[in-house]
Amino acid sequence: MLGGGRGRFAPYLAIEVRREHIVEDSLRALGRATTADLRKPLRVAFSGEDGVDEGGVRKEWFQLLVSEIFDAKYGMFSYDAATHTHWFRRESDDLLYYNLIGTLLGMAVYNGVILDLHFPSVVYKLLLGDAGPPPAFADLRAVDAALADGLAQLAAFEGDVGDVFERTF
């Protein structure tokens, strides 16, 4: 449910979600919101629960929603226990949920909510674009150490790759 009091002139974006369907309800509500709505302060209500959102309900919504979306059952992210970071799963192609994640992270920044998410540094480099350092080969190790090692060994190989490994690139 979307609201805010007075339509497009409302001072905030108000959404109502059911706890047991938090991802679906949030996706639906945020999908109906305009770009201008997403830039408004957020107010959240959980269906069937009393309470006024003075920041605590909003923070709980962000935390519950992020925890749910990053759960393995959605198959969008993999977690690397060695680096304590998340990465995008190659098998996942559900762009609606990735769009929700992007919207959610932007809204968290705008609403001053700190989320407990950890990505490899290359993600932040990519977000900074031209304002930050460019991604480098060394960043691959934090994403896929085995791939980084294999490529480094291949680059250091002094023989003919095509003859020895029967591969051409």
Side-chain angles (χ1 to χ4, degrees), residues 1-155:
M1 174 176 235
L2 240 170
R6 296 182 299 269
R8 69 181 182 155
F9 299 110
Y12 54 88
L13 170 62
I15 64 171
E16 182 176 343
V17 296
R18 298 168 294 174
R19 284 184 184 271
E20 58 278 357
H21 299 284
I22 192 166
V23 174
E24 295 80 9
D25 288 357
S26 298
L27 182 63
R28 192 174 305 111
L30 296 178
R32 287 192 304 249
T34 66
T35 301
D37 287 335
L38 296 174
R39 293 185 181 131
K40 295 176 181 178
L42 178 66
R43 298 245 173 116
V44 177
F46 288 105
S47 296
E49 297 180 21
D50 292 332
V52 177
D53 187 2
E54 296 295 332
V57 177
R58 176 181 59 216
K59 182 172 176 121
E60 181 185 12
W61 175 77
F62 275 114
Q63 290 172 331
L64 291 173
L65 186 54
V66 165
S67 175
E68 187 73 14
I69 290 175
F70 277 78
D71 188 281
K73 73 181 177 186
Y74 284 96
M76 296 176 57
F77 296 93
S78 58
Y79 181 73
D80 185 338
T83 62
H84 304 289
T85 59
H86 289 90
W87 189 250
F88 309 92
R89 290 185 50 119
R90 293 178 185 106
E91 301 85 19
S92 181
D93 62 354
D94 196 336
L95 297 181
L96 277 176
Y97 285 115
Y98 282 119
N99 189 39
L100 174 61
I101 284 287
T103 300
L104 189 64
L105 297 180
M107 290 177 67
V109 169
Y110 183 81
N111 283 276
V113 175
I114 297 172
L115 299 174
D116 188 25
L117 287 178
H118 303 278
F119 290 106
S121 62
V122 69
V123 170
Y124 303 108
K125 287 180 179 181
L126 291 170
L127 287 173
L128 288 172
D130 293 337
F137 181 74
D139 294 317
L140 182 58
R141 180 162 306 287
V143 175
D144 190 333
L147 178 60
D149 289 342
L151 290 174
Q153 289 173 359
L154 187 60

